[in-house]
Amino acid sequence: MSYQYIKLEEKLPPKEYRSNIEPTWCPGCGDFGVVTALTKVFSEEQFDPTALTLVSGIGCSSRLPLWMNSFGMHTCHGRAIPAAVGARLAKPEIPVIVTAGDGDLFSIGMEHFPHAARKNFDITVICMDNRMYALTKNQQSPTSRTGYKGSLTPYGNIEEPMNIIEFAIACGATFVAQTYSGNPKHEAEIIQQAVEHKGFAFVNVLSPCPTYNKIDTFNYYKGRTIDINKDLGHDPTDRAKALELARHVLDHDNDPNAKVMLGVFWKEEKPTFEDKVLALKQKYGASDNPDWDAILNRYRP
Ligand SMILES: Cc1ncc(C[n+]2csc(CCOP(=O)(O)OP(=O)(O)O)c2C)c(N)n1
Ligand code: SF4
């Protein structure tokens, strides 16, 4: 018992998934890579633009749904996940994808992530991780490295960055991966796997901000990345190994010999929240068009 996505009978070219609004992002912004990857994936998956929802919060990255030909929700800062869950429950045959920043998802919006993950709603959450707040002009975020100099940390960030890969696995996400905007092929492959995954899928996209972040740049990542699945043979169904690798995902911040790990860390098959609701409905014969008056009358004095 499972919901199936609405699909087109034939593929649309990737460009058909772009809206006619010109992106206002700076030239060279890593977030462009996510737009390209998504249009490619939507075309491959034969998603119907009129049956597809992208949800974001607030931030440079969160503008993404504006550039796309699909339904889009630009919610309040940090509230993309609950809005996405609402859309998902209302129309479970429509794919729902969250596209937001590291600040939006892991700072102000943090409380939503663990509960959506453990309940295993069938949504894909894509974090465009530039390791700072860009829209508000360069403050440190939960993923900023120690020592990062932003507008509020002129002497360098005294905090340690949050390991969001380890966190996502611990929260119960059933698909956890990391990719990089400088590797479009890998990025599209990983996002496609996440979208096809039945359950809560989290993809962290390392997405440089050339305007403000002068450390976590395309140049920094060049030659530093390693594919944990192809190069290290990591089996994403091995939880102990997934957690062990995830523990070291930020080692490169302090160790020039450590690699930036890309790939699928963790994947497990579990019933989704929506499928459990469907099973209950079928078991107890619940109607999709109930007699609301009869139900309410039971509670009327
Ligand atoms: C309730 C609320 N608090 C604060 C802000 C200000 N604000 C807008 S975007 C943002 C951070 C954006 O950072 P991130 O999500 O990492 O996205 P980026 O701009 O880096 O892509 C903040 C603090 C806001 N818009 N609303
Ligand atoms: S400020 Fe940074 S994150 Fe925002 S659009 Fe420009 S390059 Fe992209």
Side-chain angles (χ1 to χ4, degrees):
M1 268 178 295
S2 188
Y3 287 102
Q4 300 300 318
Y5 291 149
I6 295 171
K7 295 212 176 186
L8 295 169
E9 284 185 2
E10 281 178 24
K11 263 188 200 174
L12 281 179
K15 66 175 172 43
E16 294 297 323
Y17 293 90
R18 284 288 304 272
S19 70
N20 53 13
I21 303 173
E22 269 308 300
T24 51
W25 287 333
C26 314
C29 177
D31 297 350
F32 281 108
V34 179
V35 172
T36 308
L38 284 174
T39 56
K40 202 170 161 202
V41 172
F42 295 161
S43 167
E44 287 297 318
E45 293 294 317
Q46 294 181 217
F47 283 162
D48 180 344
T50 67
L52 171 64
T53 303
L54 297 185
V55 187
S56 69
I58 302 289
C60 289
S61 42
S62 284
R63 288 186 169 139
L64 188 144
L66 288 167
W67 328 139
M68 306 295 283
N69 178 22
S70 72
F71 283 100
M73 244 193 279
H74 200 27
T75 70
C76 304
H77 192 26
R79 306 297 166 237
I81 289 181
V85 166
R88 176 83 197 126
L89 292 178
K91 289 263 175 212
E93 60 287 347
I94 291 182
V96 177
I97 297 164
V98 170
T99 53
D102 43 287
D104 195 275
L105 288 168
F106 295 105
S107 201
I108 194 169
M110 170 59 140
E111 68 274 31
H112 303 298
F113 190 100
H115 301 292
R118 76 181 168 80
K119 292 180 192 182
N120 202 27
F121 292 109
D122 187 11
I123 59 174
T124 300
V125 176
I126 297 173
C127 177
M128 284 165 270
D129 186 6
N130 54 16
R131 307 195 72 180
M132 34 74 73
Y133 296 173
L135 187 75
T136 43
K137 302 192 172 179
N138 199 14
Q139 295 80 33
Q140 87 276 23
S141 83
T143 63
S144 294
R145 54 173 72 220
T146 307
Y148 181 76
K149 288 188 180 164
S151 59
L152 295 178
T153 50
Y155 304 111
N157 184 20
I158 56 172
E159 299 169 17
E160 287 195 11
M162 180 180 170
N163 183 331
I164 54 180
I165 297 293
E166 201 177 15
F167 176 74
I169 301 173
C171 286
T174 48
F175 181 97
V176 179
Q178 180 156 272
T179 184
Y180 164 49
S181 269
N183 186 340
K185 189 169 175 283
H186 188 267
E187 193 173 13
E189 279 171 12
I190 292 288
I191 292 178
Q192 184 157 5
Q193 287 185 48
V195 167
E196 286 177 358
H197 175 74
K198 280 255 163 232
F200 188 94
F202 173 61
V203 180
N204 193 45
V205 180
L206 302 169
S207 187
C209 165
T211 299
Y212 293 118
N213 187 336
K214 305 293 182 191
I215 300 176
D216 304 285
T217 58
F218 285 107
N219 214 20
Y220 171 80
Y221 290 118
K222 201 172 170 190
R224 263 206 176 87
T225 60
I226 191 165
D227 186 323
I228 58 170
N229 308 115
K230 288 186 185 140
D231 299 336
L232 302 182
H234 172 57
D235 166 10
T237 63
D238 181 338
R239 187 172 177 89
K241 194 76 209 301
L243 281 165
E244 176 59 19
L245 278 177
R247 201 157 67 86
H248 294 286
V249 83
L250 291 171
D251 284 5
H252 66 90
D253 278 9
N254 304 309
D255 176 357
N257 296 316
K259 292 284 185 190
V260 175
M261 290 187 257
L262 306 182
V264 183
F265 285 80
W266 171 238
K267 183 175 162 63
E268 83 179 307
E269 304 297 331
K270 263 187 175 177
T272 65
F273 186 95
E274 300 87 305
D275 287 346
K276 288 186 196 169
V277 171
L278 184 63
L280 276 180
K281 275 183 166 177
Q282 288 178 342
K283 182 168 178 189
Y284 294 102
S287 160
D288 281 336
N289 294 305
D291 180 348
W292 286 109
D293 270 341
I295 293 170
L296 292 173
N297 279 341
R298 281 196 239 147
Y299 301 95
R300 286 185 177 126

